Amino acid sequence: NSEDVRCKCICPPYKDHSGHIYNKNVSQKDCDCLHVVEPMPVPGPDVEAYCLRCECKYEERSSVTIKVSRVILLA
């Protein structure tokens, strides 16, 4: 299920841009700032410096397990 995987990038404030959290459904190999941060908030020359500050993590979850757990807890 494509909703069970995502890449989450947390980018702190940079120059006059506030911090932001970006989420995107991408493969694990594409889990980096260049593939996830859209639109890029900084101009071309600042992209590398901006991306080096971002922390990106690949996350997987099982929505079926979550749904079953909710049913058990509510029963």
Side-chain angles (χ1 to χ4, degrees):
N1 189 350
S2 64
E3 295 164 3
D4 287 345
V5 296
R6 71 175 178 180
C7 182
K8 180 178 182 179
C9 290
I10 301 172
C11 299
Y14 178 76
K15 293 188 178 179
D16 60 345
H17 300 280
S18 60
H20 196 77
I21 297 174
Y22 300 89
N23 292 301
K24 191 171 182 184
N25 291 338
V26 295
S27 66
Q28 190 169 7
K29 70 178 181 71
D30 291 334
C31 184
D32 59 39
C33 174
L34 293 174
H35 289 98
V36 176
V37 176
E38 289 181 357
M40 187 61 69
V42 296
D46 288 333
V47 169
E48 185 177 358
Y50 181 79
C51 282
L52 286 173
R53 299 169 56 90
C54 296
E55 181 182 339
C56 297
K57 288 190 227 175
Y58 185 74
E59 300 175 343
E60 291 183 73
R61 67 179 184 182
S62 172
S63 59
V64 173
T65 302
I66 294 169
K67 289 175 185 174
V68 168
S69 298
R70 284 183 186 161
V71 169
I72 291 171
L73 287 172
L74 295 173

